[in-house]
Amino acid sequence: MTTPLVELRDLWFTYPKTAQPALAGLDLRINTGEMLVVMGRSGAGKTTLARCLNRAIPAYQPGDLRGEVWIDGIERSRADVAALAGVVGLVTQDFEAQLFSTNVALEVAFGMEQLAVPREEMRVRVDRALRQVGLEGFERRDPSTLSGGEKQRLSIAAVLAMQPKLIVFDEPTTDLDPQGKREIFAVLRALRAEGVGIVLIEHEPEACRGADRLLLMSEGRIVEDGPPEILLRRVDRLAELGVPAGDLDRLAAALGHEGRFADVASAAAALRKMSDLPPPPSLGDGRFSLVHVPVRVPVHDQCPNSAGDSVYEYGHESSFSDSLVRRGRDNTGELLVEARDVEFAYADGPPVLRGVSARLHGGEMVALVGANGSGKTTFSKHLNGLLKAQRGSVALRGRDVATLDLEEAAADVGYVFQNPDHQIFAESVRAEVRFAAENLGLPERDIAERAAAAIAEVGLGGFEDEDPFGLGKGQRQRLAVASLLVLRPRLLILDEPTTGLDAGEQREMMGLLGRLRDGGTSILIITHAPWIVAEWAQRCLVLEQGRLIFDGPVERFLADPDLVQRSDFEPPDAVRVGAELGIAVRSVDDLL
């Protein structure tokens, strides 16, 4: 037998002031060039495992560590991080915390400088790493001006350039659009072919494509270890462990189908045979087929863009069921926000917004989608005055946001950042939720009542005296929402609200947002998650290179392959199967 690249023997780790071990007698062997995917609900021990592999535990994280860690044939359980810097690379879940240099090229070069890589070799590696992650031409950009997805790519490039033997990726694609995910997964497959060991911690089953093994973790233990194509079929077992099953696997399990559906076409063929449905009309090119051919017509005059191209909706009728029509109908609530011809560019950068116009009404849930760097976050920050339009205007309930104090805008528009830790700072949950109301000088009685109601609404009752940073990611995300609900905003903006959350936490977050919408709060979600757009949004705003190219019902967006491609969006497999069958659905449940 060959010497394994990594071997963990009876590994235990317990964080300070906790009784439950984060790792409980874990045994694991990773061979050279092997790719492992690790999945499990939040708190299963995945990130703790990652930190043990690069020695951040115990070097930077105190606690009780027992057992053996063998890396590259040497026992390393007490090695420091620097000793393994050229052997084990780690892309952390909080990728922004890894970025600190003044431009992109220096960020990628920094690790190599510490390893004394020759200057000419460094230049070659910087160029190669940036090319691998799709950041060519960004060498002199300030990392702070990049989009979330671009920052994530940069953090990956900085580790790739060091050429370690093992790279651990802790949710490396959470903020990437579908094209970005495909590119990163292609990089991982290429690294594996070169003999690099890969450990990939992810929440989505698509990460398992091309992997050698899937590890399922629960309560600090590896409870399943085997080929992904076998484990992913066990839908009920995945649900027990808080791991989402793919649409096609859920469909196969519900229908009692033997084996897995290889693709959308095979799933549709099986359903057509069962249902005695006629074959759909063929488009002749194997693409996502449509039942309704949309007719482009100019939308109402609120949405022209700076290029002179009309933003369009569609003139055909949808075949969605009554429940879906209700979920996706146009909203007629009060006009909350109106953006007119908004243009914006960061210092020394190209235009980010190019004449964007849109309206948001009361009591609707709207998805803001588009490829990384299309301007989604930048546009959303104009809606409450965090950024000021350089041309055009944004009106909040008829008043120009540029003339309002941030406190006035915050009372109507709440903003939950991509990373909740960027807005959490208080010493307790109660203090965090009370802060905004106290800052606006509300009476103590109102503050207490509002804070209690907000904490209850997000399901954090009983945690009032807890340290916010001791909470899980999903709980911190809900705390960030509660800290805004205390002001009772009319519009709540959330930037990628489900990133880093397990399947159960994602459903809890969306359930919370659905209740808020039903109570009259408008919700604007920036997201790359197809199921959120398909199952929850009523309307879609689509940005492409700073221009708004679509504003209309979600079903019309999902029905247009050109729009889907331009926005770098991938409809859920259930939606695609439905289209193959000539029926419009948004989820596996709708399809069934």
Side-chain angles (χ1 to χ4, degrees):
M1 295 179 64
T2 59
T3 300
L5 180 59
V6 172
E7 189 169 9
L8 309 181
R9 302 175 184 172
D10 194 27
L11 191 66
W12 294 75
F13 183 75
T14 305
Y15 289 98
K17 300 180 181 179
T18 60
Q20 182 74 19
L23 297 179
L26 191 144
D27 294 301
L28 176 64
R29 178 186 175 116
I30 305 172
N31 294 314
T32 299
E34 193 171 29
M35 180 174 170
L36 276 67
V37 175
V38 184
M39 303 178 76
R41 62 169 45 90
S42 296
K46 305 184 300 296
T47 296
T48 302
L49 169 62
R51 291 173 178 171
C52 285
L53 291 174
N54 86 324
R55 313 316 303 130
I57 290 176
Y60 300 137
Q61 175 64 62
D64 179 22
L65 177 70
R66 290 176 285 152
E68 298 179 7
V69 178
W70 292 77
I71 297 178
D72 205 20
I74 303 173
E75 209 288 320
R76 310 268 192 167
S77 60
R78 299 296 167 184
D80 60 29
V81 175
L84 286 175
V87 181
V88 179
L90 173 63
V91 179
T92 66
Q93 190 175 20
D94 185 9
F95 55 87
E96 289 187 80
Q98 295 185 241
L99 307 178
F100 58 89
S101 296
T102 54
N103 70 40
V104 165
L106 291 176
E107 187 69 52
V108 179
F110 179 81
M112 292 184 289
E113 291 175 333
Q114 313 317 306
L115 298 177
V117 175
R119 182 176 294 272
E120 289 305 314
E121 174 67 13
M122 284 171 52
R123 289 196 181 100
V124 172
R125 291 197 198 180
V126 167
D127 290 344
R128 182 180 184 228
L130 291 178
R131 185 169 59 253
Q132 284 177 300
V133 301
L135 288 180
E136 312 101 306
F138 285 69
E139 288 81 0
R140 299 200 175 277
R141 284 279 299 275
D142 181 342
S144 67
T145 68
L146 302 180
S147 71
E150 290 164 346
K151 290 176 181 176
Q152 195 162 30
R153 292 167 184 248
L154 176 56
S155 68
I156 294 171
V159 172
L160 294 180
M162 297 173 69
Q163 298 184 350
K165 295 182 179 181
L166 174 71
I167 306 181
V168 184
F169 296 90
D170 195 350
E171 300 188 38
T173 64
T174 51
D175 291 330
L176 298 183
D177 55 35
Q179 178 61 30
K181 289 183 178 183
R182 288 191 292 270
E183 291 171 357
I184 295 302
F185 288 145
V187 169
L188 299 188
R189 288 191 292 271
L191 291 170
R192 173 182 170 234
E194 294 171 7
V196 177
I198 303 292
V199 175
L200 176 60
I201 299 171
E202 270 286 358
H203 280 302
E204 300 301 327
E206 64 178 322
C208 295
R209 294 173 185 169
D212 298 292
R213 290 156 60 194
L214 169 60
L215 308 183
L216 300 179
M217 293 190 67
S218 178
E219 298 181 344
R221 292 180 170 86
I222 296 173
V223 295
E224 301 285 352
D225 179 351
E229 61 271 17
I230 293 178
L231 295 183
L232 291 177
R233 289 168 50 186
R234 300 171 60 185
V235 173
D236 291 342
R237 180 60 168 156
L238 295 181
E240 289 176 12
L241 299 174
V243 175
D247 278 5
L248 298 185
D249 290 318
R250 289 180 57 205
L251 189 60
L255 297 174
H257 179 75
E258 291 292 333
R260 306 182 72 198
F261 290 126
D263 50 32
V264 166
S266 61
L271 282 172
R272 189 179 300 114
K273 183 176 181 181
M274 294 175 65
S275 307
D276 196 28
L277 291 171
S282 173
L283 294 183
D285 60 1
R287 290 187 308 159
F288 173 44
S289 62
L290 301 177
V291 177
H292 301 288
V293 179
V295 179
R296 298 189 184 184
V297 295
V299 76
H300 36 79
D301 61 2
Q302 75 185 47
C303 295
N305 65 32
S306 59
D309 302 322
S310 293
V311 178
Y312 48 82
E313 287 183 342
Y314 300 95
H316 66 72
E317 291 296 322
S318 170
S319 64
F320 278 66
S321 66
D322 290 343
S323 64
L324 295 178
V325 171
R326 175 184 55 78
R327 200 163 52 188
R329 67 174 182 264
D330 292 335
N331 191 278
T332 56
E334 68 167 319
L335 178 61
L336 293 179
V337 178
E338 182 173 15
R340 286 186 174 272
D341 299 319
V342 173
E343 297 186 7
F344 185 83
Y346 292 100
D348 301 321
V352 179
L353 299 178
R354 307 167 187 261
V356 177
S357 299
R359 292 174 178 171
L360 295 173
H361 296 82
E364 63 176 344
M365 187 176 291
V366 179
L368 179 57
V369 302
N372 287 131
S374 61
K376 302 184 298 297
T377 297
T378 299
F379 174 66
S380 67
K381 287 182 177 179
H382 280 76
L383 303 184
N384 69 343
L386 288 175
L387 293 175
K388 308 291 186 184
Q390 293 163 347
R391 290 189 60 186
S393 64
V394 177
L396 175 58
R397 293 203 296 152
R399 301 175 63 192
D400 191 336
V401 171
T403 67
L404 302 178
D405 294 333
L406 280 176
E407 291 85 353
E408 290 183 272
D412 273 332
V413 182
Y415 195 105
V416 180
F417 288 90
Q418 204 163 0
N419 185 343
D421 295 343
H422 289 174
Q423 63 193 100
I424 293 174
F425 61 90
E427 61 185 13
S428 72
V429 167
R430 181 183 289 105
E432 185 72 44
V433 176
R434 288 173 55 92
F435 176 79
E438 291 175 337
N439 202 40
L440 293 182
L442 298 181
E444 171 58 31
R445 181 175 177 178
D446 287 350
I447 294 174
E449 289 179 354
R450 290 188 180 200
I455 290 171
E457 181 66 54
V458 302
L460 289 178
F463 290 85
E464 288 86 351
D465 297 320
E466 295 290 327
D467 179 353
F469 292 99
L471 302 177
K473 173 70 180 297
Q475 292 170 318
R476 299 199 305 277
Q477 193 79 278
R478 285 184 277 141
L479 175 58
V481 173
S483 69
L484 299 172
L485 292 183
V486 73
L487 297 180
R488 299 175 181 171
R490 288 177 168 82
L491 170 65
L492 192 60
I493 302 171
L494 300 101
D495 196 347
E496 299 285 359
T498 60
T499 57
L501 306 186
D502 64 31
E505 291 172 329
Q506 291 183 19
R507 294 288 175 183
E508 288 177 4
M509 174 58 69
M510 294 312 302
L512 166 62
L513 298 182
R515 292 193 300 274
L516 293 175
R517 177 201 57 196
D518 292 344
T521 303
S522 290
I523 308 291
L524 177 66
I525 301 178
I526 302 170
T527 185
H528 290 300
W531 70 272
I532 291 178
V533 177
E535 295 184 35
W536 286 94
Q538 295 164 285
R539 186 156 63 96
C540 249
L541 302 177
V542 181
L543 284 174
E544 179 188 48
Q545 297 181 356
R547 293 187 173 91
L548 186 69
I549 62 169
F550 176 80
D551 176 354
V554 168
E555 64 266 30
R556 295 178 183 173
F557 166 64
L558 294 175
D560 188 331
D562 176 54
L563 260 180
V564 166
Q565 183 177 27
R566 290 176 66 183
S567 61
D568 206 359
F569 182 88
E570 288 187 353
D573 283 341
V575 173
R576 295 163 57 84
V577 171
E580 289 279 345
L581 297 174
I583 55 177
V585 300
R586 293 196 187 191
S587 68
V588 171
D589 291 337
D590 288 338
L591 185 59
L592 292 172

